[in-house]
């Protein structure tokens, strides 16, 4: 009995999402056999902005205290608009400058959110809803209509000729950065703050700094997502970014990350995002209407949050 209980407790948080992804791959392959014959690469390319935004959402959720960034979608959209409608038309299109600009813009957005939450002490959902509106409004003000001119080097992100789609290496790179971060004291402090911020503060953990850095990391990862979104769109569209916000939150919940904080990681968020996109892709294959897609998103989000809450309650009961 003891061995069985220990085994149950040792099941990683991301396993249910990964198993669900495998199941959806099988279901999709049965519906469209070409999916396994290279079709999955194109699906991954189109899913990559959501995967990266799901991963970006994870650090702030892990920080606890109701941590959540509603602005990740509009922030990625604004970054995409600035890159495609401001910098590139101004002949500032060399790869290192565009990449650096995306990361700095993302970090700036994350720092704004982090300052509002950690220092000004505005509740995260209110602070990031405000920046959601600001970022979305700025994107629309800068770019009223979609644009589609990009430098040749940005086509690399959507390439599918290798064993993996090129953008997969970007996702792996973000994962590697996060893995390196989990090998530092910051990771231990982040989990401590997310699990119980009062106990962490009493133990000498700088709670304010830890939460601010969580939003900063989220901002940098959002910058990467904005860069990839630009490549996937083949330009920029000011209306696209906001649609990713709720999907990113659903990805985090589906990936087994505790919405109360302190448990989870980027692998679960990535798996949750892939699962969500595979569900969308399957419904598209079945020619479901956009209204059905929206309803499914809502149902999936509710089920994910309920399952997440039950998992947390069960963990606390132990």
């Amino acid at each position: 009995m003891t061995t069985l209980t220990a085994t149950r407790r040792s099941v990683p948080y991301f396993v249910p999402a990964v198993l669900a992804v495998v199941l959806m791959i099988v279901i999709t392959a049965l519906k469209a056999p070409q999916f396994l014959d290279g079709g999955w690469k194109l699906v991954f390319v189109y899913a990559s902005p959501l995967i990266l935004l799901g991963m970006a959402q994870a650090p702030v959720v892990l920080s606890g205290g109701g941590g959540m960034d509603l602005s990740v979608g509009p922030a990625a959209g604004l970054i995409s608009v600035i890159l495609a409608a401001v910098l590139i038309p101004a002949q500032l299109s060399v790869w290192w400058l565009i990449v650096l600009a995306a990361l700095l813009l993302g970090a700036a957005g994350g720092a704004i959110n982090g300052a509002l939450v950690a220092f000004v002490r505005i509740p995260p959902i209110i602070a990031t809803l405000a920046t959601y509106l600001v970022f979305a409004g700025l994107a629309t003000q800068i770019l009223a209509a979609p644009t589609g001119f990009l430098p040749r080097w940005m086509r690399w992100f959507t390439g599918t000729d290798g064993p993996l789609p090129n953008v997969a290496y970007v996702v792996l790179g973000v994962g590697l950065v996060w893995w390196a971060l989990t090998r530092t004291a910051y990771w231990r402090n982040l989990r401590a703050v997310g699990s119980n911020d009062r106990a962490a503060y009493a133990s000498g953990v700088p709670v304010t700094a830890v939460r601010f850095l969580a939003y900063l990391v989220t901002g940098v990862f959002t910058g990467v997502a904005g860069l990839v979104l630009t490549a996937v769109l083949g330009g920029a569209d000011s209306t696209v970014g906001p649609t990713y916000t709720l999907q990113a939150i659903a990805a985090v919940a589906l990936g087994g990350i505790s919405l109360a904080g302190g448990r989870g990681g980027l692998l679960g968020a990535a798996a949750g995002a892939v699962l969500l996109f595979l569900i969308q892709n399957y419904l598209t294959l079945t020619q479901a209407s956009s209204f059905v897609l929206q309803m499914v998103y809502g149902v999936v989000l509710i089920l994910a949050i309920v399952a997440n809450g039950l998992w947390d309650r069960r963990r606390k009961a132990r």
Side-chain angles (χ1 to χ4, degrees):
M1 179 67 72
T2 303
T3 303
L4 180 58
T5 303
T7 301
R8 286 177 177 170
R9 290 182 179 179
S10 65
V11 173
Y13 72 95
F14 55 82
V15 167
V18 172
L19 292 177
V21 166
V22 173
L23 177 61
M24 279 306 305
I25 289 174
V26 172
I27 293 174
T28 302
L30 292 174
K31 179 68 176 178
Q34 68 272 23
F35 178 78
L36 296 180
D37 189 23
W40 67 272
K41 294 182 181 180
L42 192 58
V43 170
F44 190 91
V45 168
Y46 287 121
S48 58
L50 175 57
I51 295 171
L52 289 166
L53 285 174
M55 296 169 76
Q57 186 74 245
V60 295
V61 175
L62 286 168
S63 70
M68 189 172 291
D69 189 350
L70 297 180
S71 72
V72 291
L78 176 60
I79 292 167
S80 175
V81 165
I82 292 174
L83 297 182
V86 178
L87 296 182
I88 292 174
Q91 303 303 313
L92 301 173
S93 58
V94 291
W95 73 267
W96 62 267
L97 181 60
I98 293 296
V99 172
L100 181 62
L103 295 178
L104 289 177
L105 287 168
I112 292 171
N113 285 327
L116 292 174
V117 172
F119 297 115
V120 185
R121 303 297 177 88
I122 299 175
I125 194 168
I126 301 299
T128 59
L129 177 60
T131 53
Y132 173 110
L133 297 173
V134 170
F135 295 157
L138 282 173
T140 304
Q141 183 68 28
I142 295 171
L143 184 66
T147 183
F149 176 75
L150 293 180
R152 186 182 300 272
W153 66 266
M154 291 197 75
R155 298 176 187 174
W156 178 85
F157 290 101
T158 56
T160 58
D161 292 334
L164 294 175
N166 292 344
V167 75
Y169 298 108
V170 178
V171 174
L172 291 173
V174 170
L176 183 61
V177 170
W178 180 254
W179 176 83
L181 199 59
T182 63
R183 295 300 182 269
T184 66
Y186 176 74
W187 170 242
R188 294 190 295 274
N189 290 339
L190 180 65
R191 294 186 65 184
V193 170
S195 297
N196 190 325
D197 54 0
R198 292 186 178 180
Y201 180 80
S203 300
V205 176
V207 175
T208 299
V210 168
R211 284 203 169 128
F212 175 79
L213 285 175
Y215 280 90
L216 188 63
V217 172
T218 287
V220 173
F221 290 169
T222 300
V224 178
L227 176 64
V228 170
L229 179 63
T230 307
V232 171
L233 291 176
D237 185 340
S238 60
T239 65
V240 169
T243 63
Y244 281 102
T245 290
L246 288 181
Q247 295 180 45
I249 295 171
V252 166
L254 283 171
I257 298 174
S258 172
L259 296 180
R263 172 178 59 81
L266 263 65
L267 179 57
V274 172
L275 175 59
L276 193 62
F277 198 86
L278 284 174
I279 293 172
Q280 173 188 316
N281 183 66
Y282 180 78
L283 290 173
T284 301
L285 288 173
T286 60
Q287 299 182 343
S289 70
S290 59
F291 301 107
V292 173
L293 285 173
Q294 292 299 320
M295 288 189 292
V296 169
Y297 280 145
V299 171
V300 168
L301 180 58
I302 291 172
L303 291 177
I305 291 174
V306 170
N308 201 294
L310 290 175
W311 191 328
D312 277 340
R313 192 174 301 176
R314 184 178 179 184
R315 184 184 58 166
K316 291 176 181 179
R318 288 171 178 168

